[in-house]
Structures are given as structure tokens and as C-alpha cells.
Amino acid sequence: MKRSIAAGVAVGAAVLLAVSACSSSKKGTGGGSASSGGGGAVTLSFVGADYGTGPANSTQKYWEGIASDFKAANPNITVNVQTINWNDFDNKVKTMVQNKQYPDVMEGDYFPDYAQSGLLYSAKDVTSPNTFSNLLSVFAKLNTYNGTQYGMPFTTSARTLFYNKKLFQQAGISSPPQTWDDVKADAAKVKALGKVGFGMPLGSEEAQAEALLWFLGNGGGYQDDNGDWTINSSQNAEALQFMAGMVKDGVTEPNPGTKNRTDLWKQFAQGQIGMINGSPALIPIIQEGGKLQASDWASVPIPGKSGPLDKTLGVCDNVSVFKTDTKKQDAVKKFLDFFYQDKYQVQFDKEYDLLPATNSAIKSLSSDTTFAPFLKALPNSVQYPNAPIWSTVKTQIQQQLGLAMTQDPQKILDNIQQTAKKGS
């Protein structure tokens, strides 16, 4: 899923981290082991999402660094790195798969339909017992198909409500909102200052996340505890009706269905929006904006219909390993064990203001004042569905849910529910 933990804008390019006498992928796997000692050379292809905001912090550099370190420790294994802009990730990976141009290792989205098609190794087949047991178990179900875990969380995030304390003070608001009615009333007061009261991104980037946070606030969601689809539930329809009321009152940005999260986060960072749901990835955008000081904003639990949520959306971007060549399996396992080390987890999370996916890395960051509030929310997080049809359902949500702000929400939810049930 493209859960857009962070939205990159740098277009990745393939970079060959090869040394002399390195053969091609096909030749490199034609016999010999993947060990760092004697034996044949092995070349792995890695495709990952780009979380950077530009060339200076492109994720390409992060993975190139790991590939270089890994090469030094394993001279016979070369890793070719390619990163892809988050906005293009789903489509480009799907095109690769359709053309049978499978990467050996992929970081970004986990597509259950690839597991269903028998294209992926199970997580246990490509990690050591120590690495596998160190992965956050809260995301295990999300990455499981037919009782077997295929996806492995690499980086995670949790959502809270960010609000502009300076605008709240100017509007005479003494405390952050606790309920939907509070949100609407506070948004109206911020609007009176000539600002956007509440940022509601329902565009193609991440409508599925914004919607779910509101659904949860009314006891709804995409599925129930049994895994049955509940997209068209009355709770979800009521949530959309409330959101549409805010749009009609003009306390959100115009036309939320055309607005993406990244763009609205940048507006928040410029002091133009009073409230918006966000993740730790919003923090560097605020810092880079140069308009808000640390004392000018805060984050709190997301308001629900009758009170703050006791759970939130927890998302993770995952590692998947394609069955490209059985002779590469040992090399892949070495590579995964290598990049799941704490130092690379922490490096990634501090670079992109995200959260770790391993128990040991979380422990090492638990005292960090920036990360601690979000780390606390992870154990109670709700994940997206892990059904193979989810990628199709998610795309439909991204394309159609914004229409519910001006059309009948129930009809739109019914259409999406129909798609989900047909694929189940």
C-alpha cells in the first residue's frame, strides 16, 4: 500500500554500485554461493520508495550508503539501488511486475496480491530468527496472507492532530479540540482570522488515511474484527456527512477531493492552516518552512465524535522479497539482516522523522522527545486491510471519496464496498 508515511518529490534513478569483475545479475547467480568468502558473485536489485523532499536528502543516498557498507562486508554481493517517487511508486512497481521485471528486494508497499500469486518469499525464509523476532509484531497481521507473513515492516508511523497554537491564541481558543464539534467550532474561529480552519486532504495521495481517521472517530473503519468489509457502514457514512458539513461551512480548504496531504502540510508549516492530521513526517516540513517555532505548534490525540481517540492509524512501509532466483536467497538474507541493524533504522528515522519497525530500535529512541509521543501510540494502532483486493479498493477510495463532500456519501461508500466484496 502506498501509505505515504512520507511523500518524496525526488525522482529516483538506478545507480549501479558495482566494482570491477562484477558480472550481470544473470551471470552472477549462475553457480557459487553468496557468501563473502570464495564463490561466485551475486548481484541483487533493490527498489525502494523515496522519502526525501529533494536531491539533498533523497533516499537514494541512504540506500547507496547501505549498499556500499554491505559490499565492504560481503565483497561478492553487489546491490543495485533504484528509488521511486512515492506518488509514482504503486504504478511503477505494478508495471515492473506485469512485465515480469521483478526486483529482488522491494521497500515501500506490500501488495498482498503478489503473495497470493506466489511471487514472494515468506518473511521467515529471508531473515534470520533474530531479525524476524525483532520486527514489530503489531504489523504482522497486516503483512500476512493465508496465515503466512510475507511483508516485513521497515519504517512506521502513527497519526496525531497537529494544531497551530499561535492561531488558536489569536482566535481565543484556550485548549486543543477533544470532539468533532470542538474541531468544527475551532476551525470556524480560525477561519475568521482569514486562515484555513482545518486541512482535509482527500486527494489521490492519501485519502484512505484521512478518511479512516474520521471513521475511527465514529466507531467505524474499513473492516470489523472478523475481517469483514464495513466500508459502507452507517458510522462511516455519518463521518463523511460531518466532514461534508465542514466543507460546506467553508472551514476547510476548498475542494478537499483535489488536495493532497503534502501540499496541505506545507500550508500548515507556513502558518496558513489551524489544524491538520499528521505524522512525524510533518515535523521536518514545519522546520524547513521557517515560519513556526517549536513553541508555535503541538500535537494531541485525534478528536473523535465524542472524545479523543484511544487508537489511531498506524502505518508501515514494508520490505518484500521476490522469488527471482533461488541461488540469491542466501545473499538476500544477508542483505536484510544487514540493513535491519539498529544504526540504519535510527539513521533512517532521524533523517525522515519516521518511526522504527524493530523492537530494539524503538527502545533506543524511547527517550527522544520528538519521537516518544508517536511511539506511545504505535501499540494501539489500527492498520489498513491486508486483503489482496485492498490495493484496488485503496485506489478507488483515492479517486472517489472526495466526491462524498458534495454527493451522497452512502452511494459512494456502497460502490467501494461492492468492489471490496467482489475481490474477497
Side-chain angles (χ1 to χ4, degrees):
M1 75 197 76
K2 189 190 83 175
R3 45 197 59 73
S4 297
I5 284 184
V9 296
V11 178
V15 175
L16 180 62
L17 298 173
V19 296
S20 61
C22 238
S23 59
S24 70
S25 173
K26 181 179 287 186
K27 292 179 181 178
T29 58
S33 73
S35 66
S36 59
V42 175
T43 299
L44 302 178
S45 61
F46 172 88
V47 171
D50 195 328
Y51 298 75
T53 55
N57 70 339
S58 169
T59 312
Q60 183 83 22
K61 294 182 178 180
Y62 168 82
W63 285 110
E64 285 176 11
I66 290 179
S68 180
D69 292 347
F70 181 70
K71 179 73 175 179
N74 300 271
N76 286 347
I77 308 175
T78 298
V79 181
N80 295 343
V81 174
Q82 178 186 8
T83 56
I84 301 172
N85 181 292
W86 250 129
N87 292 333
D88 303 322
F89 187 86
D90 280 13
N91 289 334
K92 288 194 174 184
V93 169
K94 288 178 181 178
T95 299
M96 289 179 184
V97 172
Q98 289 170 358
N99 294 333
K100 298 184 178 180
Q101 297 173 336
Y102 311 119
D104 294 305
V105 181
M106 179 179 73
E107 187 282 324
D109 242 336
Y110 165 62
F111 298 91
D113 41 333
Y114 298 163
Q116 184 183 43
S117 300
L119 299 178
L120 304 179
Y121 282 108
S122 73
K124 286 186 175 181
D125 285 340
V126 288
T127 57
S128 67
N130 286 341
T131 296
F132 182 80
S133 63
N134 196 29
L135 300 175
L136 286 179
S137 59
V138 70
F139 294 105
K141 182 179 179 181
L142 174 68
N143 290 300
T144 296
Y145 169 72
N146 202 24
T148 299
Q149 183 174 343
Y150 292 91
M152 293 153 278
F154 178 75
T155 188
T156 68
S157 188
R159 302 302 169 96
T160 61
L161 176 76
F162 284 69
Y163 71 101
N164 186 316
K165 294 167 67 176
K166 184 181 291 186
L167 290 181
F168 269 44
Q169 184 178 16
Q170 294 174 8
I173 306 170
S174 60
S175 60
Q178 304 286 304
T179 67
W180 285 357
D181 287 339
D182 292 341
V183 170
K184 190 172 184 179
D186 292 347
K189 293 177 182 178
V190 172
K191 177 193 175 185
L193 300 175
K195 309 292 185 180
V196 175
F198 187 93
M200 190 180 289
L202 294 175
S204 60
E205 182 183 3
E206 211 186 30
Q208 76 280 3
E210 182 69 21
L212 180 56
L213 293 171
W214 287 90
F215 294 167
L216 292 174
N218 198 33
Y222 293 128
Q223 292 180 315
D224 61 21
D225 292 339
N226 296 320
D228 295 325
W229 293 101
T230 57
I231 297 171
N232 64 344
S233 68
S234 60
Q235 293 95 327
N236 292 350
E238 183 182 6
L240 290 179
Q241 289 166 355
F242 185 88
M243 295 161 67
M246 291 180 61
V247 175
K248 184 177 180 181
D249 290 346
V251 299
T252 70
E253 79 280 5
N255 305 313
T258 65
K259 301 299 190 299
N260 284 330
R261 181 202 68 177
T262 301
D263 296 329
L264 291 183
W265 279 8
K266 290 178 179 178
Q267 284 185 249
F268 180 87
Q270 292 299 313
Q272 299 302 309
I273 296 178
M275 294 169 282
I276 195 164
N277 292 323
S279 75
L282 174 52
I283 297 172
I285 296 177
I286 294 173
Q287 294 168 340
E288 291 165 8
K291 295 289 185 180
L292 299 179
Q293 302 300 314
S295 59
D296 293 334
W297 63 273
S299 67
V300 295
I302 293 173
K305 181 180 178 181
S306 58
L309 296 184
D310 59 2
K311 54 188 174 183
T312 187
L313 169 62
V315 297
C316 68
D317 292 335
N318 302 284
V319 170
S320 301
V321 178
F322 285 82
K323 294 179 177 178
T324 56
D325 188 336
T326 56
K327 295 173 183 175
K328 294 184 177 183
Q329 188 173 353
D330 287 343
V332 167
K333 182 179 290 189
K334 285 178 178 288
F335 184 48
L336 265 64
D337 286 345
F338 188 86
F339 70 65
Y340 268 111
Q341 294 180 75
D342 285 354
K343 67 176 182 178
Y344 296 121
Q345 279 275 293
V346 172
Q347 177 189 344
F348 187 92
D349 297 322
K350 289 194 171 182
E351 176 67 35
Y352 301 109
D353 286 280
L354 294 169
L355 307 179
T358 64
N359 294 303
S360 57
I362 281 183
K363 185 177 180 179
S364 69
L365 284 175
S366 60
S367 60
D368 188 294
T369 56
T370 299
F371 291 103
F374 298 95
L375 292 173
K376 187 180 295 185
L378 273 180
N380 294 323
S381 62
V382 174
Q383 288 84 50
Y384 293 121
N386 68 338
I389 192 63
W390 170 245
S391 60
T392 301
V393 172
K394 180 195 65 176
T395 298
Q396 190 174 354
I397 292 172
Q398 293 169 337
Q399 294 173 345
Q400 298 182 10
L401 201 75
L403 300 174
M405 299 301 97
T406 56
Q407 300 178 20
D408 183 357
Q410 191 64 61
K411 288 184 178 180
I412 291 172
L413 292 175
D414 286 343
N415 289 335
I416 301 173
Q417 173 83 2
Q418 188 175 23
T419 298
K421 295 193 73 172
K422 281 184 178 178
S424 299

